[in-house]
Amino acid sequence: MFGRKRRTEGAVAAVRVGYDRAILDAGVILFQQVAEDHDGHYVSSSVVDLLGWEATAFRTPGTLRRLVHPDDLAAFRSAAPLPSTDEPTIDLRSLLGDPPPPTDVAEPVVRLLTASGDYRPMVVRMARTRAGEPVSGSLIDASAGAREQQRTRRLAEVADISHHGSLLFELVDRQDPSTVVFRSANDSARRLFDLDPAVLDGGHLEQIFDGPSARLLQSALFDVAHTGESLTARRLSFAEVPDTIVDLRIDRLSDGCLGVTIDDVTESVRTEERLRHQALHDHLTGLANRAALDERVALVAAGLSMREHVAVILVEVDGLDRFNREGGHHSGDQVLVELGRRLDEDVTGIDLVARIGGNEFAVLTHPDADREVLERRVRAVQDVMDRPLDLDGDLRAVQCTIGAAYAPEHGQDPGTLLRSADGALRQARDAAETLAVFDPVEERSLTRRVGILTELRRGLSNSELELRYQPIVDLRSGRVTKVESLLRWQRGDGSQRSVELLELAERSGLIEPLTRWILGESSRAAERLGRDRDALVVSTDLSLPQIRRDDLLGFVDLLVRAGELTPSTLEVEIAEPELARDPERACEIVGHLHEVGIPVAIDEFGTGFLSVTTIESIPVSNLKIDRGYTTAVTSVGADAEAVASTIDMAHGLGLTVTAVGVGDATTLERLAAMGCDHAQGVHLSEPVTFEDLPRRVDELEAAMSTWVGARAVLLEHAD
């Protein structure tokens, strides 16, 4: 019997332990008043683990009440009324002037002091009791729930104050998109769409958005509600919020509601557009740049129909450095801005105008099936470029060179088309024209010249170039008073004329070292010739672009100061067309050479149409009549009259005259009769090497002495 009793007691103890463990695992403390009107309590052993206090301590009156946080005491009393005691209850809220917490909560959460000194939130839950019986109930650990509630509350606060808009929708009828209604919105969304709070209580989309916008949102929300797949849309705009661009994302929540996140990206888009504009436009003129041109040409060319054509036109502004030099860079900028404006506004049928270089524009026309229409547009570009510019009240002419290419004939991709247009530009410059349309045959000729340039560069470095000297005879005395230095290139397949070499060098960037070499060699030749006989003047043909560089003029000054050049023994020849192209700059350069003591002759006279007034303003000493007139002086009456009048005009200005290209005795005689001062040509002598020059001069002077004597006799008999 005693054994059965012990087994029963053991089983009861085991059940009690399991019961206590279950209560502890549930985070519950059971309590009951010791007796009615008694402030002591029996508590379960779980209090030791949850609060750290011994259970027996709570039998002492007031123990449980003293563990309640003062701010929570009123709430605790409302749920578990305690008998009054003589010990006063301190309410900290009353002392601070705060209103008391609500006391109508059925199961309030109160904070109880633990043995470690902190507070643990506990839900107070009362068991039903009959009147006159002790109060009993439970304290349920709310720590985990409170933290979760706090986290949820904080996240909700973050969402509400976020600058990202948040909207909550519900699809009331899952089969009907029109039943989408508003449920909630944060402050950002309310401000963005100016939402009335009443709308958020079940309002429909049509109350905020017009028909198209509402249908778009309804469809998107309906799709997400059914598929569960999130939807993202970028760069949207709604008529209801003008001048605003948003990114939108729709997600289905766990309870089936639909969350919409909206980002106002207006400023970001504007910044992107501004940066893109800067990347694709020229900062000075506001026109498109090369990158934008490439994009547009590729798009337009790819969309051409079988019969359509489009033109790419390159415009190169010549002499921009003159405007910068005379009026500063502001003046040059004015020129570019005005020319860009004209191309953009004054030419019809233009798709795009771009500035693609410091002094270069590109024009893309609209496609057209009529090739003649494109040609008229090219000429229209030329016409607007030819109009004088008004620069601060001063009308100035601007010279431009224009090259055009057509798609698809000359290429369809941007690279090929622009290369073709650039080839046309080179062809225009090569022909001294202001406009050229791309010619594949001429391009092949240019390609050949590029090959020659490569060889020329190699020839200059390998000393394959040399000067030949052609004597110039004084027709009155028969003496050789000058020799002209002519550039020759000793190549295996023949030689090139000096003019061709200089033109090629000018395009290649070799002009400066080549010009220095010519000046140096001519100076040394003049110095050596002066040792053996009366000083001969060495005349050398240079183009104006060669000597317009300040550093090249400085090189001449250096030769004079170093004693390597006696100025009076060197003459510089400049072609009349070059002087006529820029008379002001020509006057400056010739004036500088004149001050140094180097005489200047106008070469190819009769081809540049310089006025007498301009000739008077340029300090030149000699005119060289172009060979085109000289060779016809005995056969074409008009040319003979032009030569005679030129000689008279030059003598009237105090200038001497040289006839170039004398090919026979009759021509020589006719020129002498007209009063021409000097002559040169194959009839007198071919160009010879410096080593052969002294012998050739002696032979020529001997022959001319006989000619002068015979002519004097004839004149004497004629008188």
Side-chain angles (χ1 to χ4, degrees), residues 29 43-58 63-64 66-68 112-118:
I29 300 173
V43 297
S44 62
S45 61
S46 57
V47 71
V48 177
D49 292 293
L50 292 175
L51 296 179
W53 305 108
E54 290 294 332
T56 55
F58 288 86
T63 299
L64 180 59
R66 284 193 293 271
L67 296 182
V68 178
L112 295 178
L113 181 67
T114 69
S116 61
D118 56 358

Side-chain angles (χ1 to χ4, degrees), residues 470-481:
Q470 186 173 37
I472 301 174
V473 177
D474 185 324
L475 295 181
R476 290 184 176 84
S477 65
R479 299 292 306 275
V480 176
T481 57

Side-chain angles (χ1 to χ4, degrees), residues 186-207:
N186 69 349
D187 288 342
S188 293
R190 287 194 290 270
R191 288 193 301 269
L192 179 63
F193 294 106
D194 193 22
L195 296 177
D196 187 330
V199 173
L200 299 178
D201 187 17
H204 288 268
L205 288 172
E206 291 83 356
Q207 294 177 252

